[in-house]
């Protein structure tokens, strides 16, 4: 049975519908139609200071509000979109929607320091990417450094050409905050830190999951945080689910955390409520100390 979350275009179904067999061709045609109908939207997942819980940014994560299958995660369509040349159009829609959302939040006075967008390898092959993105962000009246660009190190390796590094350098020079996603899982992790200015590494969840139970994980993570800090780069822990994981990361000096233990990715209206509920206390001045 389907239940709605109150948003007309998004229906939530139980997961068994996912097992329905579909040919790749059907899926591709559906993605294409979905792009035209605006069914792809960003959800937003909070990124917070590990100690204070203060919001430092939101990551935009694409979701497909499929008319029959409900809300689908990238697992269900991203590879098909990539293989059939539809990823660029999809990414452009998500980027525009995320930038527009940030503009609205700024106008409402909602404090969202940054929005991060996932940049695919394909987009990095476009030499005009920096100019186009910068124009989109400034047209929205936003400063370029309010946008983080998350780049997978696997993206850098796959097509890690001189041109691609040049494009990333242009993005950096334009003022975008560059972030290395899934850090530690590829082979180019450390090499990439030399080629352009990186603002943040996002330590992959494979190092974070059950970090409190495995000293090797905590030692490797400590080394990654130390490496980042020695280069004046922030370190974020990805996929933090439990208070135990959060506690260790804080002890290791991680700057930011993101994960279900903080909040799940949420639709735009829901994340607004989350920010109002969890962040208002933090903007009030501290209580005067009790005397006596
Ligand atoms: P990512 O950029 O590494 O994003 C983090 C993924 O981990 C997200 O999955 C998020 O929902 C999930 N996650 C967050 N916290 C937790 C947690 O505590 N536990 C667990 N188990 N998972 C957690 P999602 O949204 O399914 O996205 C998967 C990947 O798809 C992303 O990985 C990113 O590489 C890609 N992606 C997402 N949105 C876009 C987009 O708009 N464009 C492009 N090109 N790629 C995207
Ligand atoms: Mg990401
Ligand atoms: Mg990641
Ligand atoms: Mg990851």
């Amino acid at each position: 049975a389907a239940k709605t979350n109150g948003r007309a275009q998004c229906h939530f179904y139980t997961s068994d519908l996912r097992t329905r067999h579909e040919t790749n061709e059907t899926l591709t045609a559906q993605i294409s139609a979905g792009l035209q109908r605006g069914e792809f939207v960003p959800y937003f997942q909070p990124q917070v200071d590990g100690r204070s819980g203060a919001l430092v940014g939101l990551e935009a994560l694409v979701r497909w509000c499929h008319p029959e299958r409900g809300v689908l995660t990238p697992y269900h369509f991203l590879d098909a979109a990539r293989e059939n040349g539809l990823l660029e159009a999809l990414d452009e829609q998500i980027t525009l929607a995320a930038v527009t959302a940030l503009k609205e939040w700024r106008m409402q006075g909602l404090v969202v320091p940054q929005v991060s967008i996932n940049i695919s390898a394909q987009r990095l092959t476009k030499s005009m990417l920096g100019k186009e993105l910068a124009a989109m962000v400034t047209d929205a009246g936003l400063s370029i450094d309010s946008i983080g660009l998350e780049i997978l190190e696997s993206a850098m390796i796959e097509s890690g050409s001189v041109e691609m590094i040049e494009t990333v350098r242009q993005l950096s020079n334009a003022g975008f905050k560059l972030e290395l996603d899934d850090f530690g899982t590829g082979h180019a992790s450390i090499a990439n830190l030399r080629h352009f200015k990186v603002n943040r590494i996002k330590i992959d969840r494979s190092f974070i999951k059950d970090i409190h139970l495995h000293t090797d994980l905590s030692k490797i993570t400590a080394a990654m945080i130390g490496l980042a800090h020695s280069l004046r780069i922030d370190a974020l822990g990805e996929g933090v689910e439990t208070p135990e994981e959060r506690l260790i990361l804080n002890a290791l000096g991680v700057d930011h955390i993101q994960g279900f233990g903080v909040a799940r990715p949420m639709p735009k209206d829901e994340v607004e409520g989350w920010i109002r509920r969890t962040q208002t206390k933090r903007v009030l001045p501290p209580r005067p100390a009790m005397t006596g």
Side-chain angles (χ1 to χ4, degrees):
K3 51 182 180 175
T4 72
N5 72 343
R7 287 156 57 88
Q9 77 274 36
C10 268
H11 298 272
F12 293 77
Y13 288 78
T14 44
S15 58
D16 47 313
L17 275 178
R18 279 188 205 143
T19 55
R20 193 179 79 191
H21 177 76
E22 275 175 346
T23 64
N24 202 33
E25 198 182 13
T26 313
L27 182 58
T28 304
Q30 285 187 23
I31 293 172
S32 196
L35 282 169
Q36 266 157 33
R37 290 195 294 253
E39 291 168 5
F40 292 88
V41 300
Y43 272 34
F44 297 94
Q45 187 177 32
Q47 303 168 329
V48 302
D49 179 300
R51 289 153 200 274
S52 70
L55 185 73
V56 295
L58 299 173
E59 178 175 5
L61 294 160
V62 63
R63 296 291 181 267
W64 184 3
C65 293
H66 192 284
E68 287 137 33
R69 297 168 71 195
V71 178
L72 302 180
T73 58
Y75 167 80
H76 297 275
F77 57 82
L78 210 61
D79 286 344
R82 184 181 292 111
E83 282 156 23
N84 296 287
L86 295 169
L87 187 57
E88 213 172 291
L90 189 154
D91 274 344
E92 277 166 14
Q93 286 194 9
I94 296 304
T95 302
L96 182 59
V99 166
T100 306
L102 182 59
K103 176 191 178 176
E104 284 177 33
W105 291 326
R106 291 278 163 90
M107 291 191 320
Q108 292 168 22
L110 203 68
V111 179
V112 178
Q114 179 183 320
V115 167
S116 294
I117 292 157
N118 290 285
I119 297 290
S120 63
Q122 280 86 339
R123 281 181 108 183
L124 290 178
T125 60
K126 279 183 71 184
S127 60
M128 291 300 287
L129 182 68
K131 282 206 174 78
E132 287 172 16
L133 282 180
M136 187 194 287
V137 173
T138 48
D139 284 354
L142 297 167
S143 67
I144 290 176
D145 64 3
S146 59
I147 302 296
L149 303 179
E150 299 196 3
I151 298 169
L152 286 169
E153 55 180 342
S154 60
M156 300 298 295
I157 301 162
E158 279 165 20
S159 17
S161 58
V162 181
E163 289 82 9
M164 188 174 272
I165 289 174
E166 188 47 39
T167 304
V168 177
R169 241 188 229 131
Q170 282 170 16
L171 292 168
S172 169
N173 291 340
F176 289 103
K177 299 234 182 89
L178 295 187
E179 318 197 357
L180 295 185
D181 209 347
D182 298 358
F183 190 81
T185 57
H187 301 287
S189 311
I190 300 175
N192 274 331
L193 299 176
R194 288 191 60 225
H195 292 312
F196 40 81
K197 187 183 180 322
V198 172
N199 285 87
R200 183 161 71 179
I201 60 166
K202 300 191 72 183
I203 300 171
D204 192 69
R205 174 169 145 76
S206 56
F207 301 101
I208 310 295
K209 186 179 160 33
D210 293 333
I211 188 172
H212 56 294
L213 302 177
H214 303 284
T215 46
D216 55 344
L217 291 182
S218 61
K219 283 178 181 165
I220 295 166
T221 301
M224 288 192 277
I225 295 170
L227 171 67
H229 287 174
S230 69
L231 295 166
R232 296 173 189 276
I233 295 170
D234 285 337
L236 176 146
E238 279 195 318
V240 178
E241 293 189 352
T242 68
E244 291 82 3
E245 291 164 352
R246 182 173 183 162
L247 215 61
I248 300 259
L249 286 168
N250 284 343
L252 296 177
V254 83
D255 300 285
H256 308 147
I257 59 168
Q258 175 178 357
F260 298 165
V262 177
R264 288 186 174 260
M266 292 170 274
K268 178 171 176 284
D269 52 353
E270 218 174 285
V271 82
E272 290 167 6
W274 183 91
I275 293 170
R276 292 208 174 87
R277 270 198 318 282
T278 62
Q279 302 292 314
T280 43
K281 276 176 254 137
R282 297 177 217 292
V283 298
L284 295 175
R287 285 165 185 241
M290 299 285 276
T291 51

